[in-house]
Amino acid sequence: DGGITQSPKYLFRKEGQNVTLSCEQNLNHDAMYWYRQDPGQGLRLIYYSQIVNDFQKGDIAEGYSVSREKKESFPLTVTSAQKNPTAFYLCASSVDRASHEQYFGPGTRLTVT
Amino acid sequence: AQKITQTQPGMFVQEKEAVTLDCTYDTSDQSYGLFWYKQPSSGEMIFLIYQGSYDEQNATEGRYSLNFQKARKSANLVISASQLGDSAMYFCAMREGTRGATNKLIFGTGTLLAVQP
């Protein structure tokens, strides 16, 4: 079964701790994306990567970091510098940067107290 | 700046009836793409339909069709013969930049659709 996996579904952390959210895809897609969703709002782009070992900041990158060492994996680290980290995080991928459709993972709901 | 506006926070529709979800957009690009995604309560985003700015025909995918009115900058989603499983949040999105440059999506705030039996 091809698809995108995000784990865990729910994540709880104490304020001041860094936390890494995983995103794995076996679709052989070049491009991967991280979005954040807050209640009552649409998705906002955090970071995206169009190819291995390359990534760019999205609209709300402050307080986040990513890596793209393997085509299949695009982990997102929420650092202690992120002022409001509690949110729903969605990872997506697309065949390449020009393709129409982005395929989304099931999401990780992060709660920081 | 590019922007997507969905003015309907929530909608009700009777089962088997059609419903239109509104979406207007703002962009200065000549080439752009418009998308609709469905988000059930489980949280995943499901791609429904795509319309390119140069496509002359309105896009259709099964029970979904996109009413594209370029001059009005609107891209409304029409769902025909609503089913209970259509109850979900629906997001309109626009691809920023010309095709091949980037695939960044800008999302609206969504419309919550409730299908009543």
Side-chain angles (χ1 to χ4, degrees):
Chain A
D1 259 329
I4 301 176
T5 56
Q6 292 184 245
S7 60
K9 181 74 173 173
Y10 299 95
L11 193 53
F12 298 88
R13 281 294 183 269
K14 293 287 187 187
E15 194 174 331
Q17 294 178 336
N18 290 357
V19 58
T20 297
L21 281 58
S22 78
C23 176
E24 304 278 332
Q25 54 98 0
N26 60 4
L27 300 166
N28 201 33
H29 286 176
D30 282 332
M32 297 186 74
Y33 314 82
W34 273 106
Y35 293 91
R36 170 186 172 133
Q37 186 178 27
D38 294 285
Q41 296 191 31
L43 280 64
R44 291 182 291 168
L45 183 65
I46 304 172
Y47 266 98
Y48 64 103
S49 167
Q50 300 188 81
I51 201 164
V52 175
N53 292 323
D54 179 64
F55 49 83
Q56 286 83 41
K57 292 182 179 180
D59 300 319
I60 54 166
E62 186 175 347
Y64 300 97
S65 65
V66 293
S67 63
R68 187 86 188 276
E69 296 175 4
K70 299 186 300 182
K71 190 174 187 177
E72 305 80 18
S73 179
F74 191 41
L76 173 75
T77 297
V78 185
T79 75
S80 56
Q82 168 50 234
K83 296 191 187 318
N84 296 298
T86 295
F88 187 53
Y89 291 87
L90 283 153
C91 178
S93 70
S94 61
V95 172
D96 54 36
R97 65 184 183 183
S99 61
H100 296 319
E101 185 176 345
Q102 291 186 17
Y103 296 81
F104 282 81
T108 292
R109 194 166 297 278
L110 173 65
T111 302
V112 176
T113 57
Chain B
Q2 283 144 327
K3 187 179 178 182
I4 292 282
T5 302
Q6 294 180 255
T7 57
Q8 305 155 313
M11 293 275 289
F12 288 97
V13 65
Q14 289 294 124
E15 196 177 5
K16 299 180 185 176
E17 291 186 351
V19 63
T20 298
L21 306 183
D22 294 341
C23 172
T24 57
Y25 60 92
D26 189 19
T27 181
S28 55
D29 286 345
Q30 296 300 310
S31 177
Y32 50 89
L34 296 157
F35 302 76
W36 277 93
Y37 281 85
K38 172 184 178 181
Q39 187 178 41
S41 57
S42 52
E44 78 272 27
M45 297 285 282
I46 302 167
F47 167 76
L48 295 178
I49 197 166
Y50 166 82
Q51 179 85 41
S53 58
Y54 292 120
D55 295 341
E56 295 185 354
Q57 302 276 353
N58 284 346
T60 60
E61 288 286 347
R63 294 187 298 112
Y64 305 107
S65 61
L66 200 152
N67 184 0
F68 182 46
Q69 298 188 41
K70 197 169 182 176
R72 295 185 179 184
K73 292 190 174 179
S74 75
N76 298 340
L77 177 70
V78 180
I79 305 175
S80 62
S82 297
Q83 301 172 356
L84 296 178
D86 293 335
S87 295
M89 197 76 169
Y90 288 81
F91 290 95
C92 181
M94 178 168 61
R95 184 183 63 232
E96 185 179 80
T98 56
R99 184 186 172 109
T102 178
N103 203 10
K104 292 169 62 176
L105 293 180
I106 300 166
F107 285 82
T109 52
T111 295
L112 182 62
L113 177 67
V115 180
Q116 298 176 318

